[in-house]
Amino acid sequence: MNAWSGDWESEGPEGVLIRNAVPEDYGRIVAVCDEWWGRPVAHILPRLFLDHFHTTILIAEKGGELLGFLVGFPSPTKGDEAYGHFSGVAPEQRRSGLGREMYRLFLDAARDDGRTVVRAVTSPVNERSIAFHRSIGFAVTGPHEGYDGPGTDRMAFELRL
């Protein structure tokens, strides 16, 4: 079984449990987003992701405490692509390898599913995300003006598997 099996778990760094999400994880994730980012971001993760894609979303926790998550899915329209929509690691867990491990599991699952490209985007002000994605091998382009509508520029990430 891989990380997209829907019934999967793995041990991450320092005994952190990484597992598939369940729809009930939604409240836990949105409760920490704005605090972890230091600005309002929870609005970019509607409940529909946990309702419809929870089998491809990863949750990292230890002792029941949420330490990280990666919201991603295989593209239903582009059979060779997967998309990483939103990922986060608790501030005290950053630089522990947890984000890298969640992405490794997501990329392995994408590869196992026959995907050859993984894409993601972020705001140009999210320098931490840009640096992180570069560090794990994503090519970064942008800013792409108006990517998500007028006044909403994005940096685009692409990783060929």
Side-chain angles (χ1 to χ4, degrees), residues 5-39:
S5 69
D7 185 24
W8 173 91
E9 62 182 46
S10 175
E11 189 169 316
E14 300 179 24
V16 174
L17 174 69
I18 302 174
R19 62 169 174 81
N20 290 114
V22 293
E24 294 77 20
D25 287 314
Y26 177 75
R28 296 173 69 201
I29 294 171
V30 298
V32 299
C33 287
D34 293 351
E35 178 186 337
W36 287 6
W37 269 258
R39 65 182 192 280

Side-chain angles (χ1 to χ4, degrees), residues 63-125:
E65 180 184 358
L66 180 66
L67 300 178
F69 59 88
L70 190 153
V71 177
F73 52 90
S75 173
T77 57
K78 297 180 180 183
D80 63 334
E81 294 186 15
Y83 185 78
H85 175 66
F86 197 37
S87 63
V89 173
E92 66 275 6
Q93 291 294 313
R94 292 182 185 146
R95 300 194 152 310
S96 71
L98 182 57
R100 185 174 296 274
E101 179 64 7
M102 287 189 300
Y103 246 111
R104 183 191 67 77
L105 295 167
F106 182 77
L107 297 172
D108 286 351
R111 192 177 294 108
D112 290 350
D113 193 41
R115 309 299 167 142
T116 60
V117 178
V118 176
R119 297 186 190 280
V121 299
T122 196
S123 168
V125 301

